[in-house]
Amino acid sequence: MQIHFSTTCEIDRPLERVRAALADQSLWPALLPGVEQLGRYWRYGAELYDLRFADEPARLRWEVSDIAGAGVRLSVEVALRDARIATVADVSLTLDLPTTLSGLLARGRISRQLAERCRAVAQELTRLLHAQPQHAPADLAHPLAERYPNTVAAFAAMGALDHLDRIVRLDQVWDGIRQGRQSQADDAIYAQVPSLEPAASGDFDLIYAGGGLGLIHAAVMARHGRRVLLFDRGEVGCAHREWNISREELRALVEVGFCSWDDLRDIVMAEYDTGVVRFYAPDRRSVTELWMNDVLNVALDAGALLRLARRTLEAAGGVVLDRRTFRRVEVSQPGPVRVRVELARDDGAIERYRARLLLDGMGSSSPLALRRFAGQPFAGVCPTVGTVAAGFVPGQADDEHNPRVGDILISIADAQRGQQYMWEGFPGRGDDLTVYLFYYDTLQGTGNREQATGPSAGLPLSPVPYRLSPDLMQLFEDYFALLPTYKRPGPDFRHIKPVYGYIPARHSVRRQEAPLLRGVLPVGDSAAQQSPLTFCGFGSHVRNLARTTALLQSALRHDLLEPAHLHPISAYQVNVSLNWIFSRFMQPWRGPADVNRLQNVFLRVLNDLGVDLARRFFRDRMRWGDYHRMILGMFWRYPQIALIAWRVLGPRGVRQWIGDYLVYTRAALLAWLGRRLSAPGRAALAAGLERRAPALGLRLQARFAEWRAMGWL
């Protein structure tokens, strides 16, 4: 009886060290507990075995046979591949056993034992290699250089060493979020009080915390005549990411009155012809590409756009404060909603301001978002790193820089460190290219993925001890090591500046997963209402800017500032919230090739369905019928997706998907009924309700505005 088994393991160390360790017979007892060398033989249990080892150029081979002549033979072949940041081991085992009835019945159990033994060996080998000391070059004096030499060297060359401290702090916050350690004491940052003391520093309609996406929102509200204050812990108007959008979506900034097309002329860095989505396959002929026009094809200078927003806000009478750290917000209770915000200056002085509402734009690690969600504010996140770089080899090949093509979503290898790494590349000014490396991570249990209880928990065939979810520092180190495999650097190659962040999202079709804090309205990444598949927070914010500012104006006009009133004022879109199910298949569930294999099938489905549907899908304008055509297309082309979905989502995830689908269908039905009314009819109905029942009118306006943003009206 013969049993064959093969698997792929990732070992988090360089190929040369892995190969040397596997060939070192002194380490074999540590890798195989219970195995002992006795002279020329090896003992396992009560049996003695003869072992022959061959260190061949292409593979390592072990031939094991029992010396008692019972017919037990084991052949092991290990082919090692250099993945730059780790070593990939393709393991093939053949076990020969005497043919007996009990052996035939135990085939499945024996195969599972072989799989478990492979996993245990890879875990132990990684642990042993991690325990061996590593030495960094002596000239790298930065404290981080020993662990991240490529990153420190690249940041020094960019003159960006000050960013490393920010990244380390951000990693610490997100490590706390992952581990559930970020719950905030109620009175430390948020409290409801019987009355508010006078604010000596000033009174406003709106106070914005954070100078990112909230700065654009604040500028529009100031132009609507509202008294606005905005502060940030750094300099207001700085950005550590670049943004891409389509021209049609960019029109929203002009139509809402934020700026003119002339203002945007210097902010638009590049506009290219087309974009591509491509997933890796070992055989290039198996790769399916999806080409789309007008999807993320306009590259913006994020810093220039935020500086324009600051000028616009200040010109409209808004107050902008640099280097102010949020300390605490107090909210009146009972009575009309009013807030008092306490800020700390760099010199330690405390300032206090009052307003009708605080808008939380403090990003993915906002303490108010953590307070609201008891330390677990998001279901999913994309840790993202990269650089703006120049000097790549120009050309038309996949690994060359073509300034007329944007890489929307690209994978160039199977999963590494237990995660499927994805790339984006967007041309900028001249030969600049903004490159991102990221992966999809799930923070909360929306399916059956195992909770991490050990070094490799959750990914049985991809043992990656210590780094199941690489943080930004590790991701940067991987980025600099892997970048030449994505785009080839030319002789004049250079990094210009780093880009990074944790981009959060929620996996739900519920408009709000937790009640809003009284007196606080989240915007931008602290609200995280963008698609959990595309994670394009800037596009979502801009596309819904007219909607959220108009609704906030109406709420202020009628003093509808209780959480129940503010509930519908967000960038939430029911048609993209359901995308959480797609994002779950962007993480490997069994082996390193899972994601690429499945996504190549999905791209073939999208190509079959046509570029218009694909464009709507990637621009967050998916229709009810589009969703069904994609799902049914996958079942038709790849029937085994049903079993994969059950494995990935589990019973709980499947139940959630069914419930979410029913909510989504109800929303589509309501939108269909709304389309039966003419545009003047809808406007008249909303205006009439606003006069007679302002709260109900606000909710109806919000529903109409959401459908318009989705392209359903």
Side-chain angles (χ1 to χ4, degrees), residues 173-194:
V173 170
W174 269 89
D175 182 62
I177 292 174
R178 293 179 191 278
Q179 302 299 325
R181 300 194 308 265
Q182 285 295 325
S183 58
Q184 298 283 340
D186 292 1
D187 294 337
I189 59 165
Y190 177 87
Q192 297 189 44
V193 296

Side-chain angles (χ1 to χ4, degrees), residues 509-525:
V509 295
R510 291 188 296 276
R511 193 170 299 272
Q512 299 286 352
E513 293 186 1
L516 294 172
L517 299 177
R518 192 169 193 265
V520 179
L521 180 65
V523 294
D525 281 348

Side-chain angles (χ1 to χ4, degrees), residues 4 66 79 116 176 216 292 386 445 582 584 587 609 614-615 617 709:
H4 296 282
D66 69 293
E116 179 60 32
I216 301 173
M292 295 177 292
F582 293 106
R584 292 304 310 278
Q587 297 174 271
L609 295 176
R615 188 183 296 114
F617 179 64

Side-chain angles (χ1 to χ4, degrees), residues 335-399:
V337 175
R338 296 294 184 270
V339 300
R340 189 179 76 149
V341 181
E342 185 176 290
L343 309 179
R345 296 193 324 215
D346 284 353
D347 60 7
I350 301 299
E351 300 174 344
R352 297 176 178 86
Y353 300 89
R354 283 202 307 187
R356 300 175 67 185
L357 198 64
L358 171 66
L359 284 93
D360 174 18
M362 289 185 282
S364 59
S365 57
S366 161
L368 292 173
L370 295 172
R371 160 70 177 82
R372 178 184 168 201
F373 287 91
Q376 285 289 334
F378 312 111
V381 65
C382 268
T384 303
V385 303
T387 59
V388 178
F392 291 101
V393 173
Q396 308 294 318
D398 293 347
D399 62 350

